[in-house]
Each structure stands twice: as C-alpha cells, then as structure tokens.
Amino acid sequence: MLTVKDKKFVSFIDKHQIETRIAQLSREISEDYRHKNPLFIVVLNGAFMFASDLMKNVSIPCEITFVRVSSYSKTTSTGELTEVLGLKEPIQNRHVIIVEDIVDTGLTMNKLLFQLSIHKPDSIQVATLLFKPAALKTPLSVKYVGFEIENRFVVGYGLDYDGYGRNTDSIYVLAD
Ligand code: IMP
C-alpha cells in the first residue's frame, strides 16, 4: 500500500518485472538501431527513471537529450497547442526515439510527433513504459511498449499524482 497525498495506491508492477521488461526493450532497440546512431529524446519529468534504466542497457552508440512538453491554450479554433521546450540538438536526418512514461489518450504524443516531424528526422519511433490502449483517442503507432495496462491511474517509477509519488522503484495503481 502506498499513500500519495489524499489517495491510496496498491502494488501493480514490481521492480523485477520492470527490470526484466526494460532489459528486453533495450536489447530490441539495440538490434533495430545498430549503425543508426539514434538520438533518444526523453520527455520530462515522468520518463526520467525509465530512460535511466533503458539507457543503461542500450549497447550501441547513441545520444540522449531531454525535453519538456508544455501545453498552452490559444483562442483559435485549433485549441490547445503543444510546445517542445529544451531541444537543442538538430534532429534533421537523425533516427529519433521518443522516450515517454505513459501514453494515455495519446494526444500529447501525437502533438509531439507532429512538432518533431517538422524538423525532418530520418525516422521517429516511440518507446513508452506504459500504454493504455483503451484510453487512446487518436491513431498512434507506438513501437516499443513496456506494459499495456488497463485504463486506471498509476503512480511510481517516475509517474506522479499531482507532483508526488515519483520516487518508488515499482508501479502502483489507484485503489478502488
Ligand atoms: P496523454 O496525452 O493523455 O497520452 O497523457 C500523457 C501524460 O499524462 C503522460 O505523460 C503523463 O504525464 C500523464 N498521465 C496519463 N496517465 C497517467 C497515469 O495513470 N498516471 C500518471 N500520469 C499519467
């Protein structure tokens, strides 16, 4: 049992399951990107722990950088826009892998993919630790998925509830 602010969470995915799955993903990525010198773009804050463990197991030459995605509303029909903050590396002609903690509705990832594709990378793929297929609101291709989970709220291992609960080595789900 874990309490984060006013909510109670129970164990969901333990440390060993996470370690084993991430090692598999790292191997897969290392094979797929051999000789491609990929650039990993890690989405802060949630993906910091996943990215750290993933990168320890990636055995090919690669670069890693970090971005933040900020949403802001504009009073136009386009609604909410997404801005990518902190990307200094040119991504043109690079093989990019976006590293995310969780894809829920997929709207954030969709906008991020759009923003990055403007710069004409050679390829872009997504590596997410968690994926909630039932929550998806937009077509999205996610190549590397740690765990597909039900549409329930989770915390831990980098993921937060209102800024708290990131600092655990396993993942917890909101208690019923
Ligand atoms: P999306 O745009 O709905 O896919 O949401 C993406 C972002 O929402 C993620 O990067 C997380 O920051 C947050 N999020 C979605 N579901 C959860 C959850 O179950 N726990 C914690 N954060 C979540």
Side-chain angles (χ1 to χ4, degrees):
M1 189 76 110
L2 173 77
T3 303
V4 182
K5 301 186 89 174
D6 58 333
K7 301 231 184 297
K8 297 214 180 310
F9 294 83
V10 291
S11 278
F12 189 51
I13 306 175
D14 72 30
K15 180 180 176 229
H16 297 291
Q17 289 172 279
I18 295 174
E19 271 172 18
T20 307
R21 185 67 190 119
I22 292 181
Q24 288 168 343
L25 283 180
S26 303
R27 274 198 298 275
E28 218 180 300
I29 290 173
S30 302
E31 278 165 25
D32 294 350
Y33 286 84
R34 198 171 299 281
H35 309 305
K36 288 189 167 172
N37 184 30
L39 171 64
F40 290 87
I41 299 184
V42 180
V43 185
L44 293 173
N45 293 330
F48 79 99
M49 241 184 239
F50 171 44
S52 165
D53 286 339
L54 187 75
M55 299 314 298
K56 285 175 206 163
N57 290 292
V58 168
S59 55
I60 52 168
C62 62
E63 284 181 277
I64 182 164
T65 190
F66 299 85
V67 296
R68 279 174 190 278
V69 175
S70 90
S71 298
Y72 58 96
S73 300
K74 260 201 149 186
T75 51
T76 68
S77 56
T78 53
E80 205 174 71
L81 298 180
T82 296
E83 195 181 16
V84 182
L85 303 172
L87 186 64
K88 304 277 188 296
E89 293 73 7
I91 63 168
Q92 189 169 17
N93 303 324
R94 294 296 304 266
H95 293 283
V96 169
I97 304 168
I98 303 175
V99 181
E100 179 61 296
D101 55 353
I102 186 165
V103 173
D104 185 32
T105 63
L107 296 173
T108 309
M109 188 53 72
N110 206 24
K111 290 173 190 166
L112 184 54
L113 284 166
F114 174 76
Q115 293 290 337
L116 293 179
S117 66
I118 292 170
H119 301 285
K120 301 202 179 337
D122 269 355
S123 68
I124 313 187
Q125 296 291 353
V126 177
T128 185
L129 178 64
L130 302 172
F131 181 43
K132 296 182 187 171
L136 207 58
K137 286 191 176 157
T138 175
L140 190 66
S141 140
V142 184
K143 182 148 191 199
Y144 304 101
V145 175
F147 301 91
E148 283 197 2
I149 62 166
E150 319 153 48
N151 193 5
R152 295 170 71 190
F153 191 78
V154 291
V155 292
Y157 196 73
L159 289 107
D160 72 306
Y161 162 53
D162 201 16
Y164 287 81
R166 298 189 194 273
N167 51 316
T168 65
D169 61 10
S170 60
I171 296 169
Y172 295 78
V173 66
L174 188 61
D176 299 318

